[in-house]
Amino acid sequence: MGSDGSTSASRIRRHGSYSGTLGENIAAGTNRNTGVSMVFAWVLSPGHLGNMLRENYTLIGTAHLSGHPVYDWIAVENFAARKN
């Protein structure tokens, strides 16, 4: 659930019309964590890896936020397929 109460699907649909499955990977960490360790953790997680490798996704959006009040950083990947 987003800070505004939104779901990942509703956040993705704010930016266009998409078909099929939508996906999202989220990670949060401390300054001791690196981008490499975050991606490595996603690759070791079957659900996160499935999002990254799903063949029908044609679009990806990414974001990184530093200075979160609880975590040092948050990273997000969103996945979708454009509706024809």
Side-chain angles (χ1 to χ4, degrees):
M1 188 73 56
S3 61
D4 62 355
S6 62
T7 65
S8 59
S10 66
R11 289 190 299 277
I12 293 168
R13 288 192 172 106
R14 288 179 194 162
H15 301 282
S17 181
Y18 305 98
S19 62
T21 305
L22 304 174
E24 180 174 72
N25 290 343
I26 299 177
T30 65
N31 283 332
R32 293 184 309 270
N33 301 117
T34 66
V36 171
S37 65
M38 174 194 67
V39 173
F40 189 65
W42 281 342
V43 167
L44 292 178
S45 163
H48 293 97
L49 182 61
N51 276 340
M52 293 189 294
L53 299 179
R54 189 160 288 130
E55 291 180 10
N56 62 326
Y57 291 145
T58 57
L59 302 166
I60 183 173
T62 61
H64 181 271
L65 169 71
S66 296
H68 185 272
V70 176
Y71 305 103
D72 292 326
W73 56 266
I74 295 178
V76 179
E77 295 179 311
N78 286 305
F79 306 90
R82 175 85 54 202
K83 195 179 248 185
N84 292 335

